[in-house]
Amino acid sequence: MTPANFDFHCHSSVSDGLLPPAVVARRAAANGVDFWALTDHDDLGGLVEARAVAEEAGVRFCNGVEISIEWNGVPIHVVGLGFDAANPVLVGGLTALREGRVERAKRMGDALAAIGMPGIYEGALTYATNSSLISRAHFARYMVSIGIAKDVPGIFQYYLTPGKPGYVDHRWVSLQDAIGWIEAAGGVAVVAHPARYKALSNSDMRRFLGDFKDLGGRGIEIVCGSHSPDHVLHYARLARHFALHASRGSDFHGPEESYVDLGRLPQLPEDLKPVWRLIA
């Protein structure tokens, strides 16, 4: 089967999305997605439900996850695709990573309390379906609800990005570990939304992609919700240079918090090798 509209990056309420896995699956089907991956942050809890609903709707499903890593001090995300979700190496690694997320969230709450905003951590928890995956998005949604800013981007801009009072640095896993977990589970590692890593210069990005390829990484998102046409052209050139397969994903989080809806992306440049070819 040759997919006409694959979407290999999106989120449900298992991590920081707004909709349950079943609802995301039905939305993907309604939008014409024919090969779909749910890629929640650092957790596999939505995959069984997502697969059942997707396949019932006639959509081919691929196991996915988005793993938070750190390379040379820069936080980067790596998507894993097509893996065995019961693999103990992957499951154990993600469990440890989630435990670190909770500790970070508590420190973010302390930092905000120190500037006169008590109770933000506890409020953010009410927005997190999965308390072990509480994130900055949950903080931002709660802070909007109590009137600190009018929208989520405003909260991030003034409180939750590096250098702002509610931002707390965190030690994520290494690139080597993340790729190792994905490969141990029989999956394919893909760089998520590369244009979003503003801390990386062009030469840094080339060094990162060289390390990524050397460690076993096999794909890069070329078309995604946050990429402009110029980004697509630039990262397509890098995909050719590093012989990486090309991925495509909306990074959908919900109707009101996404760059683009599921399945509504432009097609990949025709000469690139689509990453779905690597998925058994």
Side-chain angles (χ1 to χ4, degrees), residues 67-71 172-181 215:
I67 302 176
S68 307
I69 71 107
E70 185 176 312
W71 179 84
W172 302 109
V173 301
S174 70
L175 177 63
Q176 182 173 4
D177 283 345
I179 293 176
W181 299 348
L215 290 168

Side-chain angles (χ1 to χ4, degrees), residues 237-252:
R237 286 192 292 270
L238 290 178
R240 296 181 193 106
H241 177 79
F242 288 96
L244 293 169
H245 283 65
S247 195
R248 178 178 183 264
S250 57
D251 198 10
F252 178 79

Side-chain angles (χ1 to χ4, degrees), residues 254-273:
E256 299 173 0
E257 289 189 12
S258 300
Y259 298 99
V260 67
D261 206 345
L262 282 155
R264 302 302 197 211
L265 292 163
Q267 293 296 322
L268 292 172
E270 290 185 0
D271 66 303
L272 298 182
K273 296 178 181 178

Side-chain angles (χ1 to χ4, degrees), residues 98-187:
R98 289 194 300 275
E99 290 170 354
R101 275 184 172 272
V102 173
E103 291 307 311
R104 182 203 193 195
K106 290 177 179 177
R107 288 185 287 131
M108 287 170 59
D110 292 342
L112 290 166
I115 61 164
M117 296 182 186
I120 302 295
Y121 169 72
E122 292 78 9
L125 275 175
T126 68
Y127 280 74
T129 303
N130 183 345
S131 61
S132 70
L133 280 172
I134 185 171
S135 71
R136 288 183 298 163
H138 301 118
F139 275 73
R141 290 168 190 157
Y142 174 68
M143 292 168 76
V144 168
S145 77
I146 61 174
I148 292 176
K150 66 178 182 180
D151 56 27
V152 166
I155 295 292
F156 272 84
Q157 180 180 357
Y158 293 108
Y159 296 100
L160 300 181
T161 51
K164 302 303 180 182
Y167 182 81
V168 173
D169 200 8
H170 182 68
R171 199 57 130 178
W172 302 109
V173 301
S174 70
L175 177 63
Q176 182 173 4
D177 283 345
I179 293 176
W181 299 348
I182 294 166
E183 287 195 321

